[in-house]
Amino acid sequence: MKENHTIKNPLKKRSLQWRLTLLITLLVTVTCILMYFFISNSAVTGMENLESYIVQINKTDSTPITFNVDPSILFPDLSNQVQATKDLFRIRSMIATGIIILLSSIGTYFISRRALTPLHDLSTKIGKIQAQNLSESLEIPDSNDEISQLTASFNKMLSRLDDAFTAQKQFSASAAHELRTPLAVMQTNLEVFARKKTPSIEEYQEIFSLIQEQTGRLSHLAEILLDMTGIQTVERSETISLAELTEEVFCDLASVAEQKQIELIQRDGDCTVTGSYLLLYRAVYNLVENAIKYNHPSGKVTVTLHPGKVILDASSQPHPADCAFIEISDTGIGISPEYQEKIFAPFFRVDKSRSRAMGGAGLGLALVTEIARQHGGQVKVLESNEKGSTIALMLPL
């Protein structure tokens, strides 16, 4: 059995200050050594040329007279002096090089320490942040450098995390409340039923019917919660004809519409988008089902498909985009202006008693919103009044 040995970089265990110091020291050392050899060789070569040179005497209007002079004859100790000078030069150069490297290393250590102080302070402040104080932003330095940019980016991330934590807390609290309600109803009725000594057949049937209804609500709620948590992992690469998808939704909801005497109308037109057929089917299904539920008897639900341009908010950068519009219009009671954005929040109901009576969990439109977001689109109420509402699901083409 072979063992995998990974070669670890010893620098990674050091602090950033030490790493900068070591790297710059290495750079200075290499530079000083190269300069030492270059200057030393140049100086030594110049000294050696002193041992042999030519003296030329120029006389006016005459041929130049040249003498070859041997310096050792004129200066018997010149060779020894040159050698001693070369040796002394080399020693002094090496000492100067060592001093320069040492001073550069010490200077780099303290300068890098000073330069990294804002980063150290930022790290200390970040270490004090907990889930309870995500809303507290860090003070941005006035330096307008990389540290200030990093602090600003971190504050934006904190804001997004705070919003996500707040939404998660609200969602968890609402989910717990929705789960607790049917459990409390069953527990209360079972306690009352247990006190009866000789319950009748009708009372048995009544309690069984209530338990069946409440467990159905729990099952439906759990199913939607699982759907919402699994949306991110679904593959979204299919080519989808929205006309065919809408036709399938109408076929599946035909019996529901027939019970309420609602007419389903699909206008001519089609758009093709890329995404998950399963998720987009669920989104359109929820919108059409809501239009049927909250409609008047003998009303109509109309689906219109057409391309258009809309401002989409992708990664906090709104931009115009070509989109497929899926408009679901009904002839129902309408939605008040103050509720037209809130209806897409999890567990929100305009009329709680009516929604629960219809078996709603308050998550249908929230699921549509999440599906639209995962496809880079959005959903919104286009218009609503006492004659009905039009909700549009917009998906990038």
Side-chain angles (χ1 to χ4, degrees):
M1 187 175 180
K2 294 182 178 180
E3 295 182 359
N4 292 327
H5 298 281
T6 56
I7 300 175
K8 295 183 179 179
N9 188 351
L11 284 178
K12 291 183 178 180
K13 296 182 179 180
R14 302 286 182 180
S15 65
L16 184 58
Q17 181 182 358
W18 271 109
R19 278 187 277 174
L20 284 173
T21 302
L22 293 174
L23 290 174
I24 294 177
T25 299
L26 178 62
L27 178 62
V28 171
T29 301
V30 172
T31 304
C32 288
I33 291 174
L34 291 175
M35 290 181 63
Y36 164 74
F37 279 109
F38 176 75
I39 296 174
S40 178
N41 288 336
S42 299
V44 169
T45 302
M47 292 178 189
E48 290 174 349
N49 290 336
L50 292 174
E51 298 182 19
S52 177
Y53 57 90
I54 298 175
V55 178
Q56 178 175 310
I57 300 176
N58 290 322
K59 215 173 184 184
T60 307
D61 300 329
S62 65
T63 305
I65 303 172
T66 301
F67 299 92
N68 289 325
V69 181
D70 186 358
S72 61
I73 298 174
L74 297 176
F75 309 99
D77 295 333
L78 179 62
S79 179
N80 294 333
Q81 291 178 2
V82 170
Q83 185 62 41
T85 303
K86 289 193 290 184
D87 293 340
L88 182 61
F89 179 81
R90 287 194 180 99
I91 293 172
R92 289 179 176 177
S93 297
M94 292 178 65
I95 293 174
T97 302
I99 293 174
I100 292 172
I101 293 173
L102 180 61
L103 293 178
S104 299
S105 302
I106 296 173
T108 300
Y109 179 81
F110 287 103
I111 292 173
S112 61
R113 181 178 182 178
R114 182 179 180 85
L116 293 174
T117 298
L119 188 60
H120 176 73
D121 295 340
L122 178 62
S123 176
T124 303
K125 293 176 183 177
I126 291 174
K128 295 179 181 179
I129 294 175
Q130 304 292 332
Q132 293 78 12
N133 60 348
L134 287 176
S135 58
E136 299 178 8
S137 300
L138 301 180
E139 183 180 354
I140 300 177
D142 297 329
S143 54
N144 196 27
D145 56 6
E146 287 78 3
I147 301 297
S148 64
Q149 294 173 9
L150 178 62
T151 306
S153 299
F154 185 79
N155 284 340
K156 292 179 182 178
M157 184 191 71
L158 274 184
S159 178
R160 292 193 297 268
L161 284 175
D162 186 43
D163 293 341
F165 268 88
T166 302
Q168 186 183 38
K169 289 178 182 178
Q170 293 175 349
F171 184 85
S172 299
S174 300
H177 177 74
E178 292 295 327
L179 290 169
R180 185 177 60 184
T181 300
L183 290 173
V185 171
M186 286 191 289
Q187 184 178 2
T188 302
N189 282 272
L190 285 172
E191 289 174 354
V192 172
F193 183 79
R195 295 192 188 101
K196 297 180 180 180
K197 295 181 179 180
T198 55
S200 63
I201 298 298
E202 289 77 11
E203 289 173 330
Y204 273 110
Q205 291 176 343
E206 183 179 348
I207 194 68
F208 287 157
S209 176
L210 182 140
I211 292 175
Q212 185 178 16
E213 178 185 349
Q214 298 303 320
T215 52
R217 282 186 59 194
L218 286 172
S219 177
H220 178 63
L221 180 59
E223 181 182 351
I224 295 179
L225 289 173
L226 286 173
D227 286 344
M228 293 190 72
T229 57
I231 287 177
Q232 291 83 358
T233 60
V234 177
E235 185 70 25
R236 298 183 294 274
S237 58
E238 301 173 76
T239 301
I240 303 164
S241 167
L242 295 179
E244 295 178 3
L245 184 146
T246 304
E247 186 178 351
E248 184 177 353
V249 170
F250 276 12
C251 289
D252 293 341
L253 287 172
S255 58
V256 179
E258 188 177 350
Q259 289 177 2
K260 288 201 63 173
Q261 300 178 346
I262 303 296
E263 182 183 1
L264 301 178
I265 302 172
Q266 181 176 352
R267 296 193 184 278
D268 293 336
D270 191 13
C271 291
T272 302
V273 297
T274 301
S276 166
Y277 187 91
L278 179 66
L279 293 181
L280 292 180
Y281 169 86
R282 186 63 182 271
V284 176
Y285 184 97
N286 284 358
L287 291 173
V288 175
E289 185 183 34
N290 267 14
I292 294 172
K293 280 183 180 180
Y294 300 101
N295 211 326
H296 297 297
S298 302
K300 296 180 180 179
V301 174
T302 305
V303 175
T304 305
L305 305 173
H306 65 87
K309 191 175 286 291
V310 70
I311 302 296
L312 291 179
D313 187 5
S315 302
S316 301
Q317 294 181 351
H319 65 284
D322 294 323
C323 289
F325 279 69
I326 310 173
E327 296 181 4
I328 294 92
S329 304
D330 61 55
T331 55
I333 57 176
I335 306 167
S336 301
E338 64 269 23
Y339 297 138
Q340 290 182 8
E341 291 186 5
K342 295 180 179 179
I343 60 173
F344 299 105
F347 300 105
F348 180 83
R349 299 183 182 90
V350 176
D351 187 344
K352 295 184 178 181
S353 59
R354 183 181 179 189
S355 296
R356 283 178 177 156
M358 293 181 176
L363 286 173
L365 292 179
L367 183 60
V368 174
T369 303
E370 182 62 20
I371 291 172
R373 191 179 70 83
Q374 290 296 325
H375 285 80
Q378 62 188 25
V379 60
K380 64 184 296 184
V381 178
L382 292 185
E383 61 176 338
S384 185
N385 51 49
E386 65 279 358
K387 295 182 181 179
S389 305
T390 299
I391 296 180
L393 173 63
M394 293 160 280
L395 303 169
L397 289 171

